């Protein structure tokens, strides 16, 4: 079993992970562009009001669905968006 795990670890492609603090809704395009380029994003909505946070989440969720990626909530206002082909393991 340990040998299988080592072999799996060798095949992992490391990609960039960016932590993003949007200031307003205009920043949504930057996030979607990054996801389209295969970048994993941790987005903190701590600097955005609740109305724009929901709009931002709606757009990013639609984009990540179209890109066949995934989203996971990390904290009250922090989310991880990952493109297709990126697996995130929490342990």
């Amino acid at each position: 079993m340990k040998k299988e795990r080592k072999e799996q670890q060798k095949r992992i492609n490391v990609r960039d992970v960016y932590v993003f603090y949007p200031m307003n809704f205009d920043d949504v395009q930057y996030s979607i562009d990054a996801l389209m380029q295969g970048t994993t994003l941790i987005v903190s909505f701590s600097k955005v009001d609740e109305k724009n946070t929901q709009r931002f989440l709606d757009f990013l969720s639609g984009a990540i669905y179209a890109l066949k990626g995934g989203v996971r909530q990390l904290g009250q206002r922090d989310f991880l968006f990952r493109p297709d082909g990126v697996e995130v393991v929490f342990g």
Side-chain angles (χ1 to χ4, degrees), residues 13-87:
N13 250 346
V14 177
R15 297 184 186 201
D16 292 329
V17 176
Y18 292 109
V19 179
F20 185 55
Y21 296 89
M23 301 297 282
N24 56 52
F25 187 70
D26 294 334
D27 291 334
V28 73
Q29 187 62 50
Y30 171 83
S31 299
I32 293 172
D33 289 344
L35 289 167
M36 289 173 59
Q37 294 172 7
T39 302
T40 300
L41 292 178
I42 295 174
V43 181
S44 175
F45 295 105
S46 60
K47 299 181 181 191
V48 180
D49 63 41
E50 298 231 2
K51 179 182 173 185
N52 281 322
T53 295
Q54 189 59 55
R55 289 179 65 208
F56 211 114
L57 278 171
D58 291 344
F59 269 82
L60 277 174
S61 295
I64 207 67
Y65 176 80
L67 295 169
K68 297 182 179 14
V71 62
R72 181 165 181 170
Q73 187 168 0
L74 301 176
Q76 186 175 355
R77 299 193 65 164
D78 303 319
F79 294 81
L80 182 134
F81 294 88
R82 61 158 187 81
D84 186 32
V86 174
E87 182 179 351

